[in-house]
Amino acid sequence: MAFLQSAPEPATVQIKLDPVSLVLHASGPVFLVVWLLIFAAILVWVIAVLKVLQLARLASLQARFEQESAHAHSPDQLFALAQRHADAPGARVVMELSRRVGTSRLLDSIAKRAIVTETQRASALMPTLSSIAAASPFIGLFGTVYGIMDAFLRIGQQKSASLPVVAPAIGEALIATAIGLFAAIPAVIAYNGLNKRVDDLLAALEAASEGWVEIASLSARGMQESIPLALQRTSDRPTPVMPKS
């Protein structure tokens, strides 16, 4: 009995109850969740900065192209402006129109397809922001649930519910939730703000494309008007059938 009473107790690792120590000494799944959420939070800010710069540049180029294209009254003038402002979204739409000659209806379908391409270009990385905003709270909740389970397991092993036993597990669980919200809240705000800018850019592009289609269709009308009237009438006449001898 004396030997059992004098047996040394197993040493326990003392963990400081500060966020950095709790993250560094977190259990396996919580450790993985926390660093995944930290990476997601950093990625949100990187994407937000890149998209702000991209959309500001596209809006500036588009405004300049629309301002100059308002003075274009012929297809040649419009196509020359598009070549000069090749990086503007509207200029890329006009360049697609310049590759085809047809009626307003045909050119309108070509412009709509080009606008879809510009929509995809302007919306790049937006699904990533949306996914982070939607998934981060649930990933943090998973870390929280696992941390609470770990706290109950420690209570069962130590036969004690004292604060030194449960505090580390509960602390890392709550930190996982906090980091999940830290990643999700900026992602939601950035997504809504950037999505509004994308919608404004595309709305202006669609509104201006109607005028570009009308100007581009003048080339097809000019080709039809340049055909002599007598030649048009000849082409409309049926081909005579020679009687068999």
Side-chain angles (χ1 to χ4, degrees), residues 47-48 51-52 54-55 119-120 122-130 186-204:
I47 292 175
K51 293 300 296 182
V52 166
Q54 179 200 21
L55 294 176
T119 302
Q120 295 172 350
S123 301
L125 298 177
M126 294 294 288
T128 304
L129 274 182
S130 177
V188 172
I189 297 174
Y191 179 83
N192 291 332
L194 294 172
N195 193 55
K196 178 65 169 54
R197 291 193 177 190
V198 171
D199 291 341
D200 292 342
L201 177 64
L202 296 177

Side-chain angles (χ1 to χ4, degrees), residues 125-146:
L125 298 177
M126 294 294 288
T128 304
L129 274 182
S130 177
S131 299
I132 293 176
S136 293
F138 296 101
I139 296 175
L141 183 61
F142 171 77
T144 300
V145 171
Y146 187 89

